[in-house]
Amino acid sequence: MAVQNLQSVTAELSPEELEAAARRDAEGQANFDRVIADDSRIEPKDWMPAAYRKTLLRQISQHAHSEIIGMQPEANWISRAPSLKRKAILMAKVQDEAGHGLYLYSAAETLGQSRDKMMDDLIAGKARYSSIFNYPARTWADMGAIGWLVDGAAICNQVPLCRASYGPYGRAMVRVCKEESFHQRQGFEILLELANGTPEQKQMAQDAVDRWYAPALMMFGPPDDDSPNSRQSMAWNIKRFSNDELRHRFVGMMAEQVKVLGLTLPDDQVRFNEETKKWEHGPLDWNEFKEVLAGRGPCNAQRLERRRQAHDDGAWVREAAAAYAAKQQAKQSMTTKEDAA
Ligand code: 3HC
């Protein structure tokens, strides 16, 4: 059934059927509440409130789209990587991102949405994906900054999602986080090598960190006061921490790691507040964030156009797969008829 609960399909039911449906809904809700209170897991065939399903579908499909669009800034550097080894590592990383997208589309499909519909929404520009992938990757050092900052922010946000209350999402996240951890280290290592290279290389690394720092902080989403979904998602154990909590935690990690790199964060207000026991950072440009979300970031048009092109280029693969499946199905039904005769 599409994305809805039984209670919304009541128009043609008899009074007895209506009563039975209402009873199933009440039992389903009670079981759902118990599972959430026990911090346990909801599985695809379990009853779940329509709003929970909708929220998960929204978040997981946006996440899947982010992984797929996120391949672009780095794929663009594969042919320009400075050595064969760097090329192989970067290619493996980009392939990992494709895999993450596929795990996540599969998790979203268990909620009743087809992958084709999700992809159509992305291509039509109706679906969101992470703001971060609308920024350009200008130099090789950007591969380092993306790995260190962007994948670092992704891990910080996604490790708590391994405990998300929806089983398929949480399980997909465990695997994704293992790979993201390798991605972050490869980014850190690229920056470390550049930071210990010539003055020009060090400057290139600093410049990349300067450009990616604020967009990476904004990946965590709007400030808590401006985050319409956080409260309910936290009550359902989908999100475990608020956007600001995770952003502050991330800044603290980066503030320590940047010292090892011998670089600096472009923010002189980063500090640990001894009173609140929290890390703090300087102001972020939330107007820029809104512009990017509205499709007016530096690379939004380019990213969507590239995705559309890739989709069109892949049409023959989809057609071939569908033709093969139809052939197999025809063979199967022929065998079944022969067996029955
Ligand atoms: N980029 C684009 N949209 C964003 C955003 C961002 N960085 N942050 C928030 N938004 C959107 C939300 O999707 C929501 O839009 P909608 O209501 O139209 O769907 C709106 O802004 C309000 O934000 P909320 O804080 O209320 O939304 P959420 O509670 O969903 O929190 C989130 C946003 C923290 C991104 C959460 O959805 C989340 O944790 N998602 C899973 C992780 C994810 O999607 N990461 C994307 C990056 S993937 C990645 O980095 C790949 C790696 O390989 C590098």
Side-chain angles (χ1 to χ4, degrees):
M1 190 188 305
V3 185
Q4 57 191 182
N5 272 328
L6 276 177
Q7 67 261 46
S8 59
V9 201
T10 53
E12 294 150 23
L13 299 183
S14 67
E16 294 72 29
E17 286 169 327
L18 268 177
E19 201 179 308
R23 208 171 34 246
R24 277 198 301 277
D25 276 355
E27 283 166 12
Q29 180 74 54
N31 183 59
F32 176 84
D33 292 344
R34 204 167 33 245
V35 168
I36 298 297
D38 289 350
D39 204 355
S40 191
R41 279 199 152 143
I42 299 291
E43 295 297 339
K45 287 187 176 159
D46 293 341
W47 188 99
M48 61 186 91
Y52 175 82
R53 187 186 295 273
K54 193 169 165 205
T55 286
L56 279 169
L57 198 47
R58 179 184 65 78
Q59 177 164 328
I60 302 174
S61 61
Q62 289 177 1
H63 194 165
H65 296 327
S66 303
E67 301 281 355
I68 296 298
I69 297 281
M71 294 163 70
Q72 292 187 33
E74 289 169 298
N76 193 31
W77 275 91
I78 292 175
S79 60
R80 290 178 284 165
S83 70
L84 185 60
K85 187 176 135 202
R86 293 286 183 203
K87 195 188 286 261
I89 295 172
L90 190 58
M91 196 151 23
K93 187 193 166 195
V94 173
Q95 284 173 345
D96 282 352
E97 307 298 359
H100 298 175
L102 299 185
Y103 307 151
L104 287 162
Y105 283 127
S106 298
E109 281 180 309
T110 66
L111 292 157
Q113 184 74 281
S114 76
R115 191 177 302 199
D116 285 347
K117 168 80 171 82
M118 289 184 265
M119 195 47 76
D120 287 349
D121 285 350
L122 175 64
I123 285 170
K126 289 193 220 155
R128 288 200 194 287
Y129 58 86
S130 183
S131 51
I132 193 71
F133 300 119
N134 293 304
Y135 290 85
R138 296 193 191 288
T139 70
W140 171 250
D142 287 35
M143 297 304 99
I146 291 176
W148 179 51
L149 289 168
V150 175
D151 291 273
I155 296 172
C156 198
N157 165 266
Q158 290 170 24
V159 166
L161 292 174
C162 295
R163 294 190 290 120
S165 57
Y166 188 56
Y169 192 32
R171 287 190 287 275
M173 281 297 104
V174 172
R175 197 149 170 190
V176 168
C177 285
K178 281 187 191 159
E179 291 172 355
E180 293 296 3
S181 169
F182 148 67
H183 297 170
Q184 196 202 15
R185 281 164 200 213
Q186 69 87 37
F188 184 86
E189 202 259 336
I190 291 174
L191 287 179
L192 189 64
E193 193 159 317
L194 290 172
N196 288 308
T198 63
E200 289 80 9
Q201 285 173 325
K202 184 169 183 178
Q203 185 50 47
M204 190 163 81
Q206 183 63 58
D207 174 61
V209 169
D210 290 351
R211 282 182 289 108
W212 287 94
Y213 169 78
L217 256 57
M218 290 194 268
M219 276 175 77
F220 292 93
D224 291 351
D225 292 347
D226 212 9
S227 163
N229 303 301
S230 282
R231 201 183 51 79
Q232 183 60 72
S233 289
M234 287 169 74
W236 278 329
N237 297 342
I238 299 172
K239 286 169 85 162
R240 297 288 175 157
F241 300 98
S242 75
N243 299 354
D244 284 332
E245 279 172 321
L246 290 174
R247 190 170 11 252
H248 296 156
R249 188 180 290 188
F250 174 67
V251 163
M253 282 160 45
M254 297 299 110
E256 293 304 319
Q257 292 178 18
V258 77
K259 293 180 197 159
V260 182
L261 289 173
L263 301 173
T264 53
L265 295 178
D267 181 347
D268 58 13
Q269 294 180 49
V270 171
R271 69 176 191 117
F272 185 70
N273 184 327
E274 287 294 347
E275 273 172 37
T276 60
K277 301 284 176 218
K278 283 186 184 147
W279 282 89
E280 291 173 355
H281 56 80
L284 294 166
D285 183 352
W286 292 109
N287 282 331
E288 176 182 309
F289 179 75
K290 284 179 187 151
E291 283 294 292
V292 173
L293 260 61
R296 294 186 289 269
C299 298
N300 292 60
Q302 180 187 330
R303 299 288 186 242
L304 268 190
E305 189 42 44
R306 179 73 199 95
R307 184 63 239 155
R308 279 185 199 117
Q309 186 65 50
H311 191 71
D312 290 350
D313 291 348
W316 71 271
V317 179
R318 293 191 296 280
E319 281 160 20
Y324 179 74
K327 227 173 174 177
Q328 292 298 103
Q329 207 171 0
K331 223 190 249 173
Q332 180 70 35
S333 57
M334 187 82 87
T335 319
T336 317
K337 269 187 207 150
E338 280 169 7
D339 287 350

